[in-house]
Amino acid sequence: MRSVSVALRLRRRRRNRGGPARLRAARNVSLIAATGAIILLGLGFTSLGTGYLVAAADLPDVSTLAAIMGPEGEEVHRPARLFDRSGQVLLFELVHPLAAERRWVRLESLPAEVGVASVAALDPTFWSNEGYPPGSLSQALVAVLRGVPVEAGPRTLTQRLVEQTLTTGADARRPSQARLFRSVLLAGEATRMYSKQQILEWFLNTADFGNLAFGIDAAALVYLGKHAEDLTVAEAALLASIPADPGLNPLDDPAAAEANRRAVIEVMLKMGSLSAAQAKAAAEAKVTIRGEASARGLDSLGFVAHAWRELRSRLGPGPALQGGLTVVTTLDTDLQLQTDCVVRTQLARIVEGEPDLVVAAADGSTCVAAGLLPLLRPGRAVESLDPPEGAAIVLDPTTGEILAVSGAVEEIKPAGNALAPFIYLTAFSKGYTPATMVIDAPIDGEPGAVHGPIRMRTALANGYRAAAARTFDLSGGVTVARTAQQMGIRTVDASDAAALESLRSGEISVTLADLSFSYVAVANDGLVAGADSPGESQAIAPTILRSVVGPDGTVLYAFRQKTRAVLSAPLAYLLQNILSDESARWPTYGRGNALEIGRTSGAFAAVSPLSGQSWAVGFTPARVIGVHVGGAGWETPAEADASNYAAPIWHALMRYAVRDLPPTAWDQPAEISVVEVCDPSGYLPTPYCPNVVREVFVAGTEPTHADSLYQPYLVNRETGKLATLYTPADLVEERVYFVPPPEAEAWARLAGIEPPPTEYDTYVAPPANPDVTILEPEPFALLRGNVSVRGSAKGEDFDVYRVRYGRGLNPREWVQIGEDGTRPVVRASLAQWNTTELDGLYTLQLVVVRSDGTIHAAVVPVTIDNQAPVVSLILPEPETVFTWPDTAEILLQAQVADAVGVVRVDFLVDGAVVGTTPSEPWSMRWPLGRAGEHRLTATATDEAGNVGVSEVVVIVIER
């Protein structure tokens, strides 16, 4: 193979024959302009001409390439510099720490295979093309004139160079056809102005090789631990293809990098740059990646990685690579240092088990915030193949600015039940309340702890999994997923059944950045604040960039705050109120736990039991902080729970972050009311309720009927059985029992809760007189309306009989039914009893009076229920208009009260039954029917057969 130096001299001679570069540039610009004018005149369309002029306007001066790179022999690629929010403190230069000794390499000093491999990987026609693929100029021009988008095709090495040095953030926002046309024009001009050798050298020294390795020498140092002059053929082939996609590098995707290496060797063989033997040897050669590179990869740099990602997304990958950028971030220097050292201190304590260990801040100063870490309990050292990883992020919810970042906050990890707050938020948006009772008990045999009937407040504050799953089912999986998406969780897909199931089970995966940002609207009274999300219309994202200024002083980007309401203030307040309720979480975390910081703050901790990931996210009106601790190879200790590992970091960071801020709380919106309810039913308290609490409600969702879980029973205090008419009065006492709903009966048995007695007392009446009996109704029958009383009233010396009733089991007063009977009756009708004005427990009595004045009696206790259940269809509200398919289904929910007991609630749509529920909560989900007006009905049937009805009318329209 001809040496690269000889080839360079020959090509330079040929280039120099073209005359001075400035004259060639002027000639070429004139040629382009003339060509454009001829085409425009030929087409004769003013609009097309305008499109051409707009696309080609403000083209950068290609001659500045040399100035950007520096004088010959003094070339240098100046990295972007990251400053803190003041713009005064330099935080970092965008260069990987392992590439600190990088240097500009002359093409002549590199092994010939380095340049050959790069050409083979990125631009096989590099030495012969005009700077752009054949035909692309005409293709781009036609696309511009027609105004149609074009798909991104292969780009030449020269195009890549001009894009990463001459384009701006504004170029990234141009239409695709305009970007292609400008790229072709600039690449063509660069090819005419500079030698191919010069272009190749510039490209190799400025290209992005991933992981903040800019330039071939930096890439060789980061990945291979050597300078580029020492690269072998196999190593050159490994690095050559990375600039095409910097993510496919040996650290982030080893398999793809190895496949690309072999593909490059194959192209070099076909080009004749390698013999068959050389290609075989290069393909079989083992390339060893630098050992410490993995431990010090891009994500381990925390805020640097985050800033680099946003810089690329906002300016485009090309402009982000430009040398000499001044990047002012949103970071608070002190808070950044403390965040990073607190995370590293906690990780070290977990691994070493030393409760007093403190890791210094990155600048060598004391990690003051580490002194706020709750101490680890003894014996908590972690034995694992891989140590845990940690990450933390601090946000200002009023602006959406990121104040501190530590670790890989963009890595997707299993979240456990960290999204549970949004399950309950969805329920609240549908009319459920923090007081709504939910059953925390396994569903269909699912494993898990059980806590029985509890308020949603208690369930959310303690992170009870079974209760969250039941609430998920009540709210509807698709609706919950849409809520999570609306709050900023990008990994949730409402159309994916598997994703919905993982969301229900608590094993959905998220990034810490998304999870933390999703609480911004909660902390900020329903408003999400931040910057426009790159590439997503109407979306708002957190930002780590305040401004980006080019080397010439041009402002390439400036943060402009955006706000948008994603929650109503009352809904946001419900989450604020629950997640800041310290006593509500005491059943799980105990008093003085890591989620308490001595001032008003909301917090939620979670753990993924299957993968050992620990999460903690919390907020005040001024700060949102999220923390993650875990790792792929980390074995979670048996004693791990949601308060371990991540929560102490959150505690220390939040206390430090708000130490100089005045204590504040959230104002209660006017739409919020406070009502006393019975715990855990959430209904209005009765004299029998042992635990009355104050609860918050969005106006219109307050309870309207009394608690029915705590019920009084008259029992024989000696036998514990239900008292009857014959139980001696001195043995009868009233006892209150907790009567759980049917789905909680198994829990009640396990919890040892004494059920109310079902057997009646063994005290019986004197031997029955067959001449004086009541056959119907039977004892303790449930009656309503007109009742036929049947039996026998006869015997010797019969005079008259009377039928009467009295309230209770031991009536003090009696009311006669009808007139005296003067004729004996045998197993026939004794009287017709109109009970329509009565309700409750009564005693029915038959009295037979004989001619000698002797009296014989028979009694039967009965329950009368003539009152229909009080039912109210509370959801949806009357005259609500729903748009299908934006709303696929709606929640039908009724409130029902009855003195005796409700056996079922039927839901009807336009007179047809669509569902029946036998227990509370009286609700179901109805897939929206055809467009038009629909009459929705809820009918409640009690044990006596009384029926209560409630109706609303809604309207369905199709989009």
Side-chain angles (χ1 to χ4, degrees), residues 637-650:
E639 71 272 19
D641 59 44
S643 66
N644 295 341
Y645 307 120
I649 298 176
W650 178 87

Side-chain angles (χ1 to χ4, degrees), residues 652-675:
L653 289 180
M654 185 59 84
R655 286 184 61 187
Y656 189 84
V658 301
R659 69 196 186 285
D660 295 328
L661 301 177
T664 56
W666 297 279
D667 294 330
Q668 179 177 305
E671 301 91 337
I672 293 292
S673 63
V674 180
V675 177

Side-chain angles (χ1 to χ4, degrees), residues 311-482:
L311 193 63
R312 287 173 61 93
S313 64
R314 295 205 179 278
L315 299 187
L321 273 173
Q322 292 182 22
L325 295 181
T326 298
V327 181
V328 177
T329 70
T330 58
L331 298 175
D332 178 301
T333 300
D334 177 61
L335 189 54
Q336 173 62 40
L337 289 170
Q338 296 297 310
T339 297
D340 187 61
C341 69
V342 165
V343 171
R344 291 187 290 115
T345 294
Q346 178 72 350
L347 296 180
R349 290 182 180 183
I350 291 172
V351 174
E352 302 296 334
E354 298 182 14
D356 297 325
L357 187 152
V358 175
V359 177
D363 64 351
S365 61
T366 302
C367 188
V368 177
L372 302 174
L373 281 169
L375 296 178
L376 289 173
R377 293 190 293 270
R380 182 159 298 174
V382 175
E383 295 181 2
S384 174
L385 296 178
D386 297 315
E389 300 169 352
I393 185 169
V394 182
L395 295 153
D396 182 340
T398 64
T399 63
E401 293 177 295
I402 298 171
L403 303 179
V405 180
S406 177
V409 297
E410 290 287 358
E411 281 192 5
I412 298 176
K413 302 282 188 180
N417 59 333
L419 297 188
F422 302 131
I423 294 177
Y424 291 94
L425 175 62
T426 307
F428 299 155
S429 72
K430 292 182 173 297
Y432 294 102
T433 74
T436 299
M437 185 178 71
V438 63
I439 308 300
D440 184 61
I443 302 173
D444 300 328
E446 296 175 351
V450 294
H451 302 88
I454 50 177
R455 287 179 293 145
M456 285 188 173
R457 169 183 293 273
T458 306
L460 172 54
N462 291 276
Y464 294 152
R465 289 177 174 271
R470 289 179 182 271
T471 305
F472 181 94
D473 295 339
L474 288 175
S475 303
V478 172
T479 311
V480 173
R482 288 175 177 167

Side-chain angles (χ1 to χ4, degrees), residues 602-945:
F604 188 78
V607 65
S608 173
L610 299 181
S611 58
Q613 312 298 319
S614 175
W615 305 81
V617 182
F619 53 92
T620 68
R623 295 291 181 265
V624 171
I625 297 179
V627 180
H628 166 261
V629 174
W634 186 35
E635 299 175 5
T636 309
E639 71 272 19
D641 59 44
S643 66
N644 295 341
Y645 307 120
I649 298 176
W650 178 87
H651 175 93
L653 289 180
M654 185 59 84
R655 286 184 61 187
Y656 189 84
V658 301
R659 69 196 186 285
D660 295 328
L661 301 177
T664 56
W666 297 279
D667 294 330
Q668 179 177 305
E671 301 91 337
I672 293 292
S673 63
V674 180
V675 177
E676 287 191 340
V677 299
C678 184
D679 181 39
S681 71
Y683 294 139
L684 298 175
T686 67
Y688 308 108
C689 178
N691 188 24
V692 178
V693 297
R694 292 168 61 84
E695 188 56 274
V696 294
F697 297 87
V698 176
T701 64
E702 301 91 342
T704 57
H705 59 277
D707 171 72
S708 60
L709 293 183
Y710 293 97
Q711 298 181 18
Y713 289 80
L714 293 176
V715 299
N716 183 324
R717 67 168 178 268
E718 289 185 346
T719 66
K721 296 181 179 181
L722 291 169
T724 69
L725 177 67
Y726 310 109
T727 302
D730 61 337
L731 296 181
V732 177
E733 70 177 15
E734 184 179 74
R735 294 180 182 175
V736 177
Y737 289 88
F738 181 77
V739 183
E743 60 268 34
E745 288 178 353
W747 161 82
R749 288 193 298 271
L750 292 173
I753 294 178
E754 181 183 2
T758 57
E759 296 183 16
Y760 288 96
D761 200 359
T762 55
Y763 284 94
V764 296
N769 184 341
D771 292 337
V772 183
T773 62
I774 297 176
L775 301 177
E776 294 181 6
E778 297 179 347
F780 298 101
L782 185 61
L783 310 177
R784 69 185 180 96
N786 289 312
V787 178
S788 176
V789 181
R790 294 173 55 82
S792 296
K794 59 186 178 67
E796 294 182 2
D797 299 325
F798 172 86
D799 186 9
V800 296
Y801 74 85
R802 300 184 183 96
V803 179
R804 57 186 188 173
Y805 68 89
R807 178 177 289 277
L809 291 175
N810 296 289
R812 296 181 179 179
E813 298 179 353
W814 296 92
V815 177
Q816 184 167 329
I817 303 171
E819 303 293 331
D820 287 351
T822 58
R823 295 182 179 182
V825 176
V826 179
R827 303 181 69 84
S829 176
L830 297 169
Q832 293 295 316
W833 184 18
N834 183 355
T835 71
T836 54
E837 301 298 324
L838 306 177
D839 273 287
L841 183 64
Y842 288 82
T843 298
L844 183 65
Q845 184 186 62
L846 168 64
V847 176
V848 173
V849 181
R850 303 196 183 279
S851 56
D852 62 359
T854 303
I855 297 176
H856 293 90
V859 295
V860 171
V862 295
T863 299
I864 300 175
D865 180 16
N866 284 300
Q867 297 297 319
V870 178
V871 56
S872 175
L873 190 56
I874 59 174
L875 288 178
E877 295 180 354
E879 305 299 327
T880 301
V881 178
F882 298 98
T883 302
W884 187 90
D886 295 342
T887 302
E889 59 181 10
I890 61 175
L891 179 70
L892 308 182
Q893 183 180 4
Q895 280 188 349
V896 184
D898 188 75
V900 176
V902 177
V903 294
R904 74 174 189 276
V905 172
D906 297 311
F907 291 98
L908 299 84
V909 176
D910 299 329
V913 176
V914 295
T916 298
T917 177
S919 60
E920 295 184 83
W922 310 107
S923 63
M924 65 163 287
R925 304 199 67 78
W926 172 57
L928 288 184
R930 66 184 185 280
E933 187 175 275
H934 295 281
R935 178 169 49 89
L936 309 182
T937 307
T939 64
T941 304
D942 65 16
E943 293 181 0

Side-chain angles (χ1 to χ4, degrees), residues 53-351:
L53 293 175
V54 169
D58 301 322
L59 275 175
D61 185 355
V62 178
S63 66
T64 60
L65 264 176
I68 292 173
M69 302 301 173
E72 186 171 352
E74 300 178 15
E75 296 94 341
V76 63
H77 180 60
R78 294 170 294 168
R81 296 181 301 162
L82 302 182
F83 290 84
D84 75 343
R85 63 188 298 108
S86 71
Q88 303 301 313
V89 180
L90 177 63
L91 299 175
F92 196 82
E93 289 191 342
L94 277 176
V95 175
H96 196 289
L98 295 178
E101 297 180 359
R102 75 195 185 287
R103 58 198 181 204
W104 188 279
V105 290
R106 309 292 299 179
L107 196 58
E108 293 92 336
S109 65
L110 287 172
E113 291 81 9
V114 174
V116 172
S118 296
V119 168
L122 303 172
D123 188 2
T125 66
F126 171 73
W127 296 108
S128 60
N129 64 44
E130 293 298 318
Y132 46 83
S136 60
L137 177 59
S138 57
Q139 174 193 1
L141 183 57
V142 170
V144 166
L145 296 178
R146 294 180 59 193
V148 297
V150 293
E151 294 184 4
R155 292 176 298 159
T156 65
L157 190 148
T158 311
Q159 284 177 283
R160 295 177 188 276
L161 174 66
V162 296
E163 287 172 5
Q164 69 192 33
T165 52
L166 297 178
T167 56
T168 67
D171 289 303
R173 295 186 290 271
R174 294 179 187 270
S176 60
Q177 64 271 23
R179 293 199 304 271
L180 174 61
F181 184 51
R182 293 170 66 85
S183 171
V184 167
L185 290 180
L186 290 173
E189 183 62 15
T191 301
R192 286 181 285 274
M193 185 171 293
Y194 302 107
S195 70
K196 289 282 187 177
Q197 292 81 4
Q198 185 68 81
I199 290 173
L200 180 58
E201 181 179 307
W202 284 342
F203 176 79
L204 287 176
N205 281 282
T206 59
D208 180 8
F209 286 84
N211 285 296
L212 297 183
F214 303 117
I216 188 68
D217 198 51
L221 288 168
V222 169
Y223 298 120
L224 305 170
K226 60 171 64 176
H227 285 287
E229 290 93 338
D230 301 322
L231 291 174
T232 65
V233 175
E235 293 168 340
L238 176 71
L239 301 180
S241 64
I242 297 177
D245 186 345
L248 303 183
N249 60 71
L251 291 182
D252 299 319
D253 198 336
E258 174 61 18
N260 287 339
R261 180 180 78 91
R262 294 180 178 275
V264 170
I265 292 172
E266 186 66 26
V267 175
M268 293 173 71
L269 174 62
K270 292 179 180 179
M271 291 173 58
S273 302
L274 295 178
S275 67
Q278 290 173 323
K280 183 175 184 297
E284 294 176 351
K286 179 176 177 55
V287 178
T288 302
I289 304 303
R290 188 172 185 176
E292 65 268 39
S294 296
R296 299 177 64 182
L298 178 58
D299 281 330
S300 68
L301 300 177
F303 78 88
V304 179
H306 206 80
W308 174 236
R309 289 191 188 95
E310 187 172 348
L311 193 63
R312 287 173 61 93
S313 64
R314 295 205 179 278
L315 299 187
L321 273 173
Q322 292 182 22
L325 295 181
T326 298
V327 181
V328 177
T329 70
T330 58
L331 298 175
D332 178 301
T333 300
D334 177 61
L335 189 54
Q336 173 62 40
L337 289 170
Q338 296 297 310
T339 297
D340 187 61
C341 69
V342 165
V343 171
R344 291 187 290 115
T345 294
Q346 178 72 350
L347 296 180
R349 290 182 180 183
I350 291 172
V351 174

